[in-house]
Structure formats: structure tokens, C-alpha cells
Amino acid sequence: MEYLVLFEKSNDGSIWARIPDLPGCTSCGENIEEARENIKEAIEIHLEAMKAEGLEFPGTQHLQAELIEISA
């Protein structure tokens, strides 16, 4: 399965990751590589918990992210 992961740098320099298709599934790391590994583990744990509760895995919403340039 594939899920879109959004990464955001916090004020303290850490990187937060979240999955829009899995509300509540978040993780963080000191850098992007660590955040990426941690969110993979968080997804697995999240999906295991859903399976244990008899819930179906949500599909992806086929979200797309892109940068939009404007002059300011």
C-alpha cells in the first residue's frame, strides 16, 4: 500500500510527518531520513491496530501536493 506523507519542519528543527489518509498517524525525527523511517513504523502500527479492531484499511484519496509560485 502507498500513502501520501506530509513532512513539516518545526520551530525546533525536527521534522514532523503525517498521513492525511490515516488521521492520527503521525511521527517525527531529527531529520528527514529519521522522520521517514519513523513514519513507516507508525503506519505499520496504525494499520495493525485497525486490523485488530476489525476495521478496513482506508484507501488513498489520491492526494497530490505541489508547490505553487507567486510573486509577493
Side-chain angles (χ1 to χ4, degrees):
M1 297 185 82
E2 292 183 331
Y3 287 99
L4 176 69
V5 180
L6 302 178
F7 295 97
E8 182 178 356
K9 189 172 187 176
S10 68
N11 291 338
D12 68 1
S14 62
I15 306 294
W16 281 89
R18 66 183 177 94
I19 312 296
D21 290 323
L22 298 173
C25 186
T26 63
S27 191
C28 66
E30 291 184 22
N31 53 51
I32 192 74
E33 293 81 13
E34 185 176 293
R36 187 178 293 116
E37 289 305 312
N38 291 344
I39 197 64
K40 286 179 185 178
E41 183 179 348
I43 293 168
E44 292 171 355
I45 292 168
H46 193 92
L47 295 178
E48 286 174 11
M50 291 181 70
K51 184 177 180 180
E53 293 180 26
L55 302 173
E56 290 186 30
F57 296 165
T60 62
Q61 297 177 16
H62 302 288
L63 300 171
Q64 178 177 331
E66 61 182 82
L67 296 174
I68 304 295
E69 184 177 337
I70 61 166
S71 59

